[in-house]
Amino acid sequence: MRDNSGVFCSLVFFFFFFFIVTCVDAEDPYRFFTWKVTYGDIYPLGVKQQGILINGQFPGPKIDSVTNDNLIISVYNYLREPFLISWNGLQQRRNSWQDGVYGTNCPIPPGKNFTYNLQVKDQIGSFFYYPSLGFQKAAGGFGGISIYSRWRIPVPFPPPAGDHTVLVGDWFKRSHRFLLIFPQRYTYRFRISNVGLTTSINFRIQGHTMKLVEVEGSHTLQNTYSSLDIHLGQSYSVLVTANQRPFDYYVVVSSRFTSKVLTSTAILHYANSAGRVYGRPPGGPTTQIDSSLQQTRSIRWNLTASGPRPNPQGSYHYGMIKPARTIRLANSAPIINGKQRYAVNSVSFTPADTPLKLADYFNIPNVFYVGSISDHPTGGGAYLQTSVMHADFRSFIEIVFENWEDSVQSWHIDGYSFFVVGMDGGQWSSSSRLRYNLRDTVARSTVQVYPKSWTAIYMALDNVGMWNIRSADRARQYLGQQFYLRVYSPAHSWRDEYPIPRNALLCGRAAGRHTRPL
C-alpha cells in the first residue's frame, strides 16, 4: 500500500486469502483453537513498531465456521497487561458470559489462560474479533470471522472462486503496497470490515463494480456499487468479477467525512496482466452526506434467500409488530470536572470495580444501579455513572439514536441484530415513523448516525443478558459513550440463559466466590 499524495497516511488494510470451506454432515460440530497472545514487531505501514500478535500473526488468525458450530478458543495471555477479546457481531445466544467486554468478563491476567466456549447459533455472515480493553485494538490482536451456511441451505449466489477477508483500520505511519493476484473471468468474494478506531472509510476497485450480497449476517438484494461506505465496526460482503482487460488495477481505501482525505492503495493484479497500474487512483466521495445516506437506504434485505435470520415473536414481518417501548439515545461531548468526556443521555459511563454481569449474578450490592440512565434525553448537565438500563425479556422495542454533533456516529449493540427502519436529518418525532421501511430493511449489529440526524431501529429482546451498547469510535467509547442494557427474565431458567461457566474468571468483589458447574 502507499499514500499516493506523498503525505503521511493513517489508513491501512489487510488481506486474508481463503477459499470456501466444505462442511461435513455432522450436527453442531466443535472447532478447537489455541491462541498465544504476544508482543511482536509489526510493519502495518512499512514502519517497525510493537504490536499484538496472535500465534505470531498480525492480523490474527481468521476463524472459518459454519452456522451453529461450537468454537472452543483457548487464549493464553503472554502480554505484560490484562487482555480480553470481544466478538463483534456474534450474538452469544443465551450466553453473554462469553461476550468479552469488561462489563461481562474479567480480563485474562498476564501469564494466564481463558477458554471461550462460543456457539455461532443461527448466524451466517462476516464479522471480526478484537481486543476490548483500553486502546489495545490500536496495536492489533484483531482478525476476521466468516460463518458459512450449512451445506443443505442454498446461498443466493454461485460459489465464488475465492473468499477474501479485508480488514481496514486506522494507522499512523506511511503506507506500503499489497499485491492481490486474480485469474481473469472468475468472481471473488470480499468480506470487508472496518476495524478502525475513529474513521469511516470508502472502499472501491478501479474499473470494477461490486455486487453487495451480505451485511453483518443479512443476505441483501444484489445491488451493484462503484464504491461502498463502511462505517466504524461495520462489515460488508461483495462479489467482484475479474472481467476487465488484463492489467493491474488500484484497490483504494479513503477516509470519509474528514477535513483531510487520507488514501491508501493496494494492487489487484490480473494473473496474465499486460501492464502495471497507471495514473492516479480513482477518487471517491469525501464529505458528502447525502450520497452516503442514499446508498444506505438502497441496501435492502433479500426476502427470498434461505438461511438463519432474525425471528422476532415467531414472525419475519418485523414491520407488523408494534414496539412496546421507545428508547431515545442522544450522544454528547461534555466537559466533566474539567476533562473531555462523552455521554449518552447526559450520562458518561465509568467502569465499576467488578464486571456488571458478575455483580448481577452474585447479587453484589452497590456495583451498579438499574435505571441509572434515562431512556430519553434529559437535557440536564452531564455526570459520571456506571449506567445500566433495564429491559424486559421478549419485548419488542424501538431505539432512536439522535446525533446533534457535527461528526458521524457509529453505534454497536452486543448480543443482537436489529432492523434499521429509518434514518434522516433533523429532529426525530413520532411522525418520522411514516417514513420507516417496514418491509425489507436489513438486520445488522452496527449502524451509523449522520451529523444533525437520527437513526431508528427495531429490536426483539430475545436474548437474556447484560449487553453493551456503545460507540464504535474507540475514544468516545473509552471516555463514556456507552452503557449496558440488562435484558432480564424473572424465570431464571436455563432455557433463557446458560449458567455461569465453571471456568469463569472472577475478579473485583466477585473474587473468591464459587460458580456452579455446567
Side-chain angles (χ1 to χ4, degrees), residues 128 130-131 133-140 142 171 194-197 472 474:
F128 63 92
Y130 70 98
L133 296 181
F135 281 84
Q136 288 177 336
K137 184 181 179 184
F142 50 76
W171 226 269
N194 186 340
V195 299
L197 302 178
R474 190 59 192 166

Side-chain angles (χ1 to χ4, degrees), residues 342-497:
Y342 297 98
V344 186
N345 289 355
S346 301
V347 184
S348 184
F349 182 86
T350 57
D353 60 4
T354 304
L356 309 184
K357 183 64 179 172
L358 294 178
D360 199 26
Y361 176 79
F362 289 115
N363 294 313
I364 302 172
N366 302 323
V367 175
F368 70 91
Y369 301 95
V370 177
S372 47
I373 179 172
S374 173
D375 65 3
H376 60 274
T378 64
Y383 58 96
L384 303 175
Q385 183 64 265
T386 304
S387 39
V388 177
M389 185 182 294
H390 169 78
D392 292 321
F393 181 45
R394 291 202 175 99
S395 64
F396 190 77
I397 65 173
E398 174 186 45
I399 298 179
V400 181
F401 297 100
E402 300 181 1
N403 176 23
W404 295 107
E405 298 184 67
D406 293 324
S407 59
V408 176
Q409 304 293 308
S410 188
W411 286 91
H412 178 84
I413 301 180
D414 281 354
Y416 288 92
S417 64
F418 47 74
F419 297 97
V420 185
V421 293
M423 58 176 61
D424 211 340
Q427 172 71 54
W428 180 89
S429 68
S430 59
S431 63
S432 301
R433 297 187 179 112
L434 298 175
R435 302 194 299 276
Y436 283 4
N437 176 358
L438 299 181
R439 182 177 184 272
D440 62 352
T441 189
V442 294
R444 61 188 314 167
S445 59
T446 308
V447 69
Q448 74 274 21
V449 191
Y450 294 104
K452 304 295 193 299
S453 300
W454 56 267
T455 294
I457 67 172
Y458 281 178
M459 188 166 73
L461 296 180
D462 57 359
N463 200 11
V464 172
M466 186 78 71
W467 301 109
N468 189 228
I469 299 182
R470 62 178 178 268
S471 170
D473 183 309
R474 190 59 192 166
R476 297 184 75 99
Q477 176 192 342
Y478 182 76
L479 293 176
Q481 192 173 317
Q482 61 171 306
F483 68 97
Y484 283 81
L485 188 71
R486 181 179 182 251
V487 181
Y488 179 73
S489 170
H492 300 290
S493 169
W494 289 10
R495 291 175 300 179
D496 298 337
E497 183 179 30

Side-chain angles (χ1 to χ4, degrees), residues 126-148:
S126 309
F127 310 97
F128 63 92
Y129 61 86
Y130 70 98
S132 62
L133 296 181
F135 281 84
Q136 288 177 336
K137 184 181 179 184
F142 50 76
I145 303 172
S146 296
I147 308 175
Y148 300 93

Side-chain angles (χ1 to χ4, degrees), residues 118-434:
L118 318 174
Q119 186 181 30
V120 289
K121 180 69 173 172
D122 295 334
Q123 286 191 267
I124 57 98
S126 309
F127 310 97
F128 63 92
Y129 61 86
Y130 70 98
S132 62
L133 296 181
F135 281 84
Q136 288 177 336
K137 184 181 179 184
F142 50 76
I145 303 172
S146 296
I147 308 175
Y148 300 93
S149 294
R150 304 181 79 164
W151 72 273
R152 288 192 179 95
I153 306 300
V155 174
F157 50 87
D163 194 313
H164 311 296
T165 294
V166 183
L167 304 178
V168 184
D170 321 287
W171 226 269
F172 306 100
K173 300 291 181 181
R174 186 178 296 274
S175 62
H176 63 280
R177 181 179 298 191
F178 282 86
L179 191 67
L180 180 60
I181 300 176
F182 272 24
Q184 198 174 15
R185 296 187 301 277
Y186 292 102
T187 297
Y188 303 86
R189 182 174 184 171
F190 287 82
R191 301 172 184 265
I192 313 158
S193 295
N194 186 340
V195 299
L197 302 178
T198 62
T199 310
S200 298
I201 60 98
N202 181 269
F203 182 90
R204 54 198 180 271
I205 300 177
Q206 182 184 29
H208 295 72
T209 58
M210 299 175 289
K211 182 182 291 184
L212 184 67
V213 295
E214 178 254 330
V215 173
E216 295 167 26
S218 290
H219 289 306
T220 65
L221 293 181
Q222 296 179 11
N223 296 331
T224 298
Y225 300 91
S226 58
S227 69
L228 271 175
D229 286 346
I230 305 174
H231 303 276
L232 285 170
Q234 294 184 342
S235 297
Y236 289 79
S237 282
V238 299
L239 299 179
V240 177
T241 301
N243 56 5
Q244 301 301 305
R245 296 177 60 195
F247 283 88
D248 290 356
Y249 296 89
Y250 285 110
V251 182
V252 186
V253 172
S254 60
S255 61
R256 283 287 262 134
F257 317 116
T258 56
S259 56
K260 180 179 181 181
V261 178
L262 305 169
T263 302
S264 290
T265 64
I267 302 299
L268 189 154
H269 174 77
Y270 276 58
N272 57 340
S273 174
R276 302 180 63 182
V277 293
Y278 59 91
R280 297 182 63 83
T286 55
T287 60
Q288 304 91 339
I289 297 292
D290 186 65
S291 61
S292 186
L293 175 62
Q294 295 307 316
Q295 182 180 93
T296 299
R297 288 174 172 166
S298 73
I299 299 172
R300 301 297 183 90
W301 199 8
N302 186 341
L303 298 179
T304 64
S306 299
R309 51 185 169 179
N311 189 22
Q313 299 184 2
S315 171
Y316 295 129
H317 303 293
Y318 67 91
M320 299 176 65
I321 305 171
K322 183 178 180 180
R325 178 185 180 188
T326 295
I327 298 172
R328 294 168 51 211
L329 303 175
N331 51 271
S332 59
I335 302 296
I336 302 177
N337 298 330
K339 296 181 179 179
Q340 177 68 69
R341 298 286 301 190
Y342 297 98
V344 186
N345 289 355
S346 301
V347 184
S348 184
F349 182 86
T350 57
D353 60 4
T354 304
L356 309 184
K357 183 64 179 172
L358 294 178
D360 199 26
Y361 176 79
F362 289 115
N363 294 313
I364 302 172
N366 302 323
V367 175
F368 70 91
Y369 301 95
V370 177
S372 47
I373 179 172
S374 173
D375 65 3
H376 60 274
T378 64
Y383 58 96
L384 303 175
Q385 183 64 265
T386 304
S387 39
V388 177
M389 185 182 294
H390 169 78
D392 292 321
F393 181 45
R394 291 202 175 99
S395 64
F396 190 77
I397 65 173
E398 174 186 45
I399 298 179
V400 181
F401 297 100
E402 300 181 1
N403 176 23
W404 295 107
E405 298 184 67
D406 293 324
S407 59
V408 176
Q409 304 293 308
S410 188
W411 286 91
H412 178 84
I413 301 180
D414 281 354
Y416 288 92
S417 64
F418 47 74
F419 297 97
V420 185
V421 293
M423 58 176 61
D424 211 340
Q427 172 71 54
W428 180 89
S429 68
S430 59
S431 63
S432 301
R433 297 187 179 112
L434 298 175

Side-chain angles (χ1 to χ4, degrees), residues 26-77:
E27 188 67 22
D28 297 350
Y30 283 76
R31 299 176 188 264
F32 295 87
F33 305 83
T34 299
W35 288 357
K36 296 180 179 180
V37 182
T38 61
Y39 297 112
D41 293 336
I42 61 175
Y43 301 81
L45 296 173
V47 176
K48 178 180 176 180
Q49 59 191 100
Q50 185 182 72
I52 295 176
L53 312 181
I54 298 179
N55 292 351
Q57 300 177 38
F58 171 75
K62 181 172 177 282
I63 295 176
D64 283 310
S65 60
V66 176
T67 301
N68 290 355
D69 277 359
N70 295 282
L71 309 180
I72 312 301
I73 305 172
S74 188
V75 179
Y76 290 82
N77 179 16

